[in-house]
Amino acid sequence: MVLFLGQIFRLSHGQDPPSSESNMSKVVRIIDATLREGNQCHGASFNEKNSPEIASAIAALGIDMLEIGHPVCSAQEIRRIKSIVELDLGCPILAHSRAHAKDVRAVAETGAQWIGIFVGINEISQKVRISNRQTNQIIKMIKDSVSLAKELGLKVRYTVEDASRTPDDILLQAYSEAINSGADRICYSDTLGILEPNEVCEKISLLKKHFPEIDIEVHFHDDRGLAMANALAAVDAGANWISTSINGIGERSGITDTCAFIANLTYRKKRKFLHLDQLKKVSRLVAAHSRSFVDPRRPLVGKNAFHHKARLHAKAIEKDESSYNWIAPGIFGLTSTTHLPELPRELDKLINIPKVIPASELKYHTDGPGLRYVMVDERFVPDSRQYCIVRKIGLVKGVIAPHVDAHRHDCDSLFMFIGAHENLTGLAVEVQLGDEIFPIKSPSSVFIPAGIEHSYRVIAGEGIYVNHVLSGCYNDSLLEGKLTS
Ligand code: HCA
Ligand code: CU
């Protein structure tokens, strides 16, 4: 059936497309799996506290569906997913499930509208992922789990895990079973990131030939650096849902990057996203909470993505931005840069005399007790990528007012307390970390992971306080918005 353009564009973000949407005119949709696949990235700990903020920020980009977590894992995981469902972001929520009844029931308990059931069916899956099951038994698991999910009122996405290493006949059999049992969408997963774009094209064309009506999602891992190329090849071959994550985080080398994929769709004039100027902000937020920091070369959101160093390039960019940018950075609220400060080559310029500067130069701070010596930041050493201050605290008598409000950085930082007495004793402080307050005596250090709210105040004694932040500019490293008040 032919759809008129107007009909396509009336499908607003978050709504399920009508099932009659014809294949040729299907809009490319994004399911962002940061809070599921991304949670499997080393360093990530998306929890009940930070997940709602992250989910809201991602949904606000105009994403079509959010994949949140794996509820059967724990009661805590169920609560985390529920807390996002309850936000009612206007964007359907999908939760992950093996093809087991208890997993399916756990998803139903979260209130998520969609379930993503996955099961591998190839030889290696039978050997190590779901041991001691034959192909026909796995086919039955697909039928039973999809049917149960439908009975529980869920919309179902069914994924063949490791689809790219599964023989075509078995692959088609698995998807047929899922569709006949009521699956609303199928997902092709290149779990190991082994496919190349021409193979993706073949596989998706095969699925389209056999299942012309059903929505097809693809999930590409980036182990060979091909996740983006494969996603675009899949779109060209007719896949209409792409699974992505912010900064591409996930198992190992991760998956297709949400922001870069949105930029690619924009470049191709495939779809209009309304809040492109928020991409970098969301990238920073997720980088902080996953402690998976963005490489300067990452497309779109990396520090160097629109930086031009060679003199010829810089000159050309100053005349016309399109000379060396693939897309106009302004669309994303970004600007081209040409002359970023560089680390000095002369070694003596790396030695600094500290300057006394009151802390009110920082957001969330007033001057506070004693003198604050700035030891290093990018004003002292261009491109230092570090900030360090020392505060000399004279003997505290009586109660002193706090001078730092709770705040968070997009990078890790450190507090050190060094008392003026023997063995570095002699200073008592109180440190807020997340929701908790800790009374602390010197000598001590407090490691502050990126994204964690923190502050401190001096209680008694005398000594030195050191703050070290892994950013050359304190104020630029702050994440706006606070989790608690
Ligand atoms: C996993 C595997 C998975 C599943 C994808 C999906 C993969 O981490 O459980 O359910 O669509 O890459 O195959 O991420
Ligand atoms: Cu995956």
Side-chain angles (χ1 to χ4, degrees):
M1 132 183 206
V2 177
L3 256 184
F4 295 105
L5 270 184
Q7 272 176 282
I8 300 168
F9 287 107
R10 235 177 291 130
L11 295 171
S12 68
H13 131 236
Q15 283 177 353
D16 290 334
S19 51
S20 58
E21 202 181 22
S22 88
N23 287 328
M24 288 318 290
S25 58
K26 277 184 176 176
V27 175
V28 178
R29 293 178 186 278
I30 298 177
I31 172 164
D32 180 282
T34 305
L35 293 167
R36 195 282 296 172
E37 175 78 51
N39 219 8
Q40 297 172 214
C41 161
H42 174 74
S45 61
F46 300 132
N47 51 35
E48 268 177 85
K49 202 159 160 60
N50 56 29
S51 292
E53 182 190 16
I54 295 169
S56 312
I58 298 174
L61 299 175
I63 297 295
D64 303 285
M65 197 174 287
L66 294 181
E67 179 168 338
I68 299 297
H70 201 89
V72 81
C73 287
S74 64
Q76 207 180 338
E77 180 70 343
I78 293 183
R79 280 203 309 274
R80 183 174 80 97
I81 298 166
K82 267 191 181 156
S83 69
I84 296 165
V85 172
E86 281 158 12
L87 291 175
D88 205 4
L89 297 168
C91 171
I93 305 295
L94 176 145
H96 215 216
S97 160
R98 292 171 304 175
H100 297 321
K102 67 171 182 188
D103 291 42
V104 176
R105 292 189 196 283
V107 171
E109 209 186 307
T110 65
Q113 300 93 319
W114 278 78
I115 183 171
I117 300 175
F118 72 102
V119 61
I121 193 168
N122 58 6
E123 224 174 283
I124 187 96
S125 294
Q126 293 184 18
K127 221 184 330 175
V128 296
R129 294 194 183 104
I130 25 173
S131 44
N132 305 321
R133 292 234 175 59
Q134 306 293 317
T135 307
N136 59 351
Q137 289 175 299
I138 299 175
I139 293 287
K140 181 157 185 311
M141 286 169 73
I142 297 171
K143 179 179 177 186
D144 292 348
S145 57
V146 174
S147 307
L148 174 62
K150 293 308 293 181
E151 274 164 37
L152 295 172
L154 294 162
K155 290 227 174 202
V156 178
R157 175 191 76 190
Y158 168 68
T159 300
V160 175
E161 185 181 16
D162 206 1
S164 37
R165 294 194 301 177
T166 306
D168 288 350
D169 54 340
I170 298 176
L171 194 66
L172 294 174
Q173 196 189 347
Y175 286 131
S176 293
E177 192 65 36
I179 294 167
N180 293 337
S181 310
D184 302 274
R185 182 158 97 224
I186 56 174
C187 175
Y188 184 97
S189 179
D190 182 20
T191 306
L192 275 71
I194 54 174
L195 289 189
E196 297 189 9
N198 66 327
E199 295 166 309
V200 167
C201 184
E202 255 172 49
K203 295 297 175 189
I204 301 307
S205 303
L206 179 78
L207 295 187
K208 284 231 69 90
K209 193 172 126 216
H210 282 82
F211 313 111
E213 293 303 325
I214 193 111
D215 282 347
I216 299 177
E217 178 175 327
V218 284
H219 177 86
F220 293 116
H221 276 263
D222 204 27
D223 301 71
R224 295 181 66 194
L226 294 172
M228 179 61 68
N230 286 342
L232 294 174
V235 167
D236 293 340
N240 65 318
W241 279 87
I242 311 295
S243 166
T244 63
S245 71
I246 300 290
N247 301 331
I249 60 173
E251 288 283 354
R252 309 180 309 279
S253 301
I255 62 169
T256 310
D257 179 320
T258 305
C259 298
F261 186 68
I262 289 177
N264 271 296
L265 290 185
T266 306
Y267 180 78
R268 284 179 163 213
K269 301 192 170 42
K270 273 269 182 194
R271 234 187 113 169
K272 276 205 167 87
F273 287 86
L274 291 178
H275 304 292
L276 294 174
D277 58 338
Q278 296 298 304
L279 293 178
K280 185 140 179 173
K281 195 172 145 204
V282 179
S283 161
R284 270 182 83 214
L285 182 71
V286 170
H289 287 297
S290 57
R291 290 190 68 240
S292 184
F293 304 106
V294 166
D295 184 306
R297 293 174 303 280
R298 179 158 287 274
L300 204 82
V301 295
K303 190 167 177 246
N304 297 356
F306 297 104
H307 178 62
H308 307 272
K309 183 173 171 184
R311 201 146 21 116
L312 277 176
H313 289 226
K315 269 187 164 167
I317 276 287
E318 277 152 19
K319 283 193 197 126
D320 182 344
E321 275 212 313
S322 67
S323 56
Y324 284 105
N325 285 325
W326 72 289
I327 197 163
I331 304 175
F332 306 96
L334 306 171
T335 43
S336 300
T337 51
T338 48
H339 295 88
L340 291 181
E342 303 240 14
L343 197 65
R345 287 167 201 214
E346 304 85 347
L347 297 179
D348 63 321
K349 293 219 169 112
L350 304 175
I351 302 165
N352 307 291
I353 315 284
K355 261 204 190 100
V356 174
I357 309 175
S360 47
E361 68 163 344
L362 309 178
K363 288 186 205 158
Y364 304 111
H365 290 64
T366 53
D367 291 346
L371 291 181
R372 170 180 176 265
Y373 294 82
V374 181
M375 305 299 287
V376 72
D377 69 10
E378 68 183 23
R379 293 171 297 189
F380 290 69
V381 177
D383 203 26
S384 66
R385 305 180 196 186
Q386 299 192 25
Y387 156 103
C388 185
I389 64 105
V390 166
R391 182 185 285 276
K392 171 97 177 62
I393 300 159
L395 187 60
V396 170
K397 293 192 191 106
V399 180
I400 59 167
H403 69 286
V404 192
D405 290 339
H407 60 277
R408 3 178 231 165
H409 297 277
D410 64 4
C411 55
D412 295 337
S413 62
L414 189 69
F415 286 168
M416 280 179 267
F417 301 101
I418 302 161
H421 301 164
E422 204 181 338
N423 299 327
L424 314 182
T425 60
L427 193 59
V429 297
E430 214 174 64
V431 170
Q432 181 203 330
L433 259 188
D435 283 341
E436 294 184 63
I437 294 193
F438 300 93
I440 289 178
K441 285 201 161 70
S442 72
S444 53
S445 73
V446 181
F447 181 87
I448 302 154
I452 300 290
E453 214 169 57
H454 58 279
S455 75
Y456 83 100
R457 69 189 190 99
V458 179
I459 302 292
E462 58 185 321
I464 280 172
Y465 157 76
V466 180
N467 185 201
H468 188 237
V469 182
L470 289 179
S471 165
C473 178
Y474 188 99
N475 282 334
D476 286 355
S477 75
L478 291 165
L479 285 177
E480 293 307 330
K482 289 199 272 172
L483 291 175
T484 54
S485 49

